[in-house]
Amino acid sequence: MSAKKGLHLTLKIWRQKNNKSKGQFETYKISDVSTDSSFLEMLDILNENLINEGKEPIAFDHDCREGICGMCSLYINGRAHGPDTGITTCQLHMRMFKDGETIVIEPWRSAAFPVIKDLIVDRSAFDRVMAAGGFISVNTSGNTLDANAIPVPKEDADKAMDAAACIACGACVASCKNGSAMLFVGAKVSQFALLPQGRVEAKRRVLNMVKAMDEEGFGNCSNTGACEVECPKGISLENIARMNREYMAAFVDRG
């Protein structure tokens, strides 16, 4: 029985030394790629070949390789995380591509996500938005009320869990023509706004997080919907609507 034929591919990959330098696409050939391998494993093979040839490997971000951390974010053939849906780049398999295909690989494109090197971008803007209000204050005096003692309607709990599924990969920003982060911020606001533990700081939270989002240079939402389509966790646009309602209520209350 003959062995399964591997893929022969042409890769056009963005190379950039740092955020100060001018980047460009460079073309690489790779052969006999197993269709069972993941996209990142394919890049591992390419880097091994480059190292053996005495060339500098391609810098790309990754960690868990289980679709949890969101670090593997790449723009592949014009789509965030590639041609499959509901997955991160590390979950993308080479069976989604055809033999002889040319694959264009880029970093996220956003003013708020400057390139660090090659395919790696600085997503610390998300960290600063979270630091502005993506948390709850908890009394740790020893008299803390057990969270399970507070009744929460199942519908609210389910929506909160759906919002909390956001892994902050940035696909929403990369997919949006405006570079908007409102799906990300909406998810993080909703995660707490739907639960009683988050209501205490709700007004301050949404005002501070939206302010931080704007200061980081993210664009505004124009309801294109690309963010929801390309989100690997299927975060709903309903979270943006909820954030807008929370924001208006907080803004009016502030006077």
Side-chain angles (χ1 to χ4, degrees):
M1 186 174 180
S2 59
K4 194 174 182 180
K5 183 182 178 182
L7 301 175
H8 298 266
L9 304 166
T10 299
L11 307 176
K12 292 184 66 176
I13 301 177
W14 185 259
R15 303 300 305 263
Q16 187 171 337
K17 186 175 182 180
N18 52 52
N19 64 350
K20 303 294 184 183
S21 63
K22 184 178 180 180
Q24 70 286 320
F25 282 104
E26 294 187 7
T27 302
Y28 303 91
K29 299 285 188 179
I30 187 168
S31 301
D32 200 27
V33 177
S34 171
T35 54
D36 293 328
S37 63
S38 72
F39 197 85
L40 295 190
E41 287 172 336
M42 181 273 293
L43 290 179
D44 289 336
I45 294 170
L46 175 63
N47 275 344
E48 186 175 348
N49 293 342
L50 292 176
I51 291 171
N52 290 337
E53 295 169 6
K55 298 177 182 178
E56 185 175 8
I58 295 150
F60 64 94
D61 223 343
H62 61 94
D63 189 8
C64 74
R65 300 202 180 199
E66 295 179 347
I68 298 171
C69 71
M71 292 179 65
C72 61
S73 310
L74 294 177
Y75 213 66
I76 304 166
N77 284 350
R79 288 189 63 181
H81 294 300
D84 210 346
T85 57
I87 62 166
T88 53
T89 299
C90 64
Q91 296 173 300
L92 177 66
H93 282 80
M94 298 310 297
R95 56 179 168 268
M96 296 298 298
F97 301 93
K98 298 178 181 178
D99 187 39
E101 187 172 350
T102 296
I103 304 175
V104 181
I105 309 168
E106 305 172 72
W108 283 167
R109 302 293 190 183
S110 171
F113 291 158
V115 173
I116 296 174
K117 185 176 181 180
D118 295 341
L119 302 175
I120 302 176
V121 299
D122 181 358
R123 291 180 298 157
S124 60
F126 273 4
D127 297 330
R128 291 186 288 274
V129 172
M130 287 298 291
F135 54 86
I136 60 172
S137 297
V138 178
N139 179 1
T140 57
S141 64
N143 297 317
T144 307
L145 180 65
D146 192 304
N148 292 330
I150 305 174
V152 179
K154 185 178 186 304
E155 183 179 357
D156 290 346
D158 288 344
K159 288 180 179 179
M161 287 297 291
D162 289 343
C166 170
I167 58 175
C169 67
C172 51
V173 177
S175 301
C176 178
K177 63 183 180 182
N178 306 317
S180 173
M182 290 188 71
L183 190 67
F184 162 74
V185 180
K188 298 307 178 183
V189 167
S190 293
Q191 176 182 341
F192 298 111
L194 287 160
L195 299 176
Q197 294 90 340
R199 296 310 307 169
V200 178
E201 298 163 304
K203 291 182 172 61
R204 183 173 65 183
R205 174 183 301 108
V206 70
L207 291 172
N208 289 346
M209 291 185 76
V210 170
K211 181 174 182 289
M213 174 182 69
D214 291 341
E215 289 175 347
E216 291 295 338
F218 293 107
N220 292 317
C221 175
S222 54
N223 293 314
T224 302
C227 54
E228 181 180 19
V229 172
E230 301 296 357
C231 174
K233 300 302 177 182
I235 303 299
S236 172
L237 289 174
E238 291 180 2
N239 292 293
I240 296 179
R242 184 176 297 105
M243 179 185 69
N244 288 336
R245 293 194 297 270
E246 291 281 327
Y247 183 86
M248 288 303 299
F251 187 83
V252 171
D253 186 69
R254 185 178 63 175

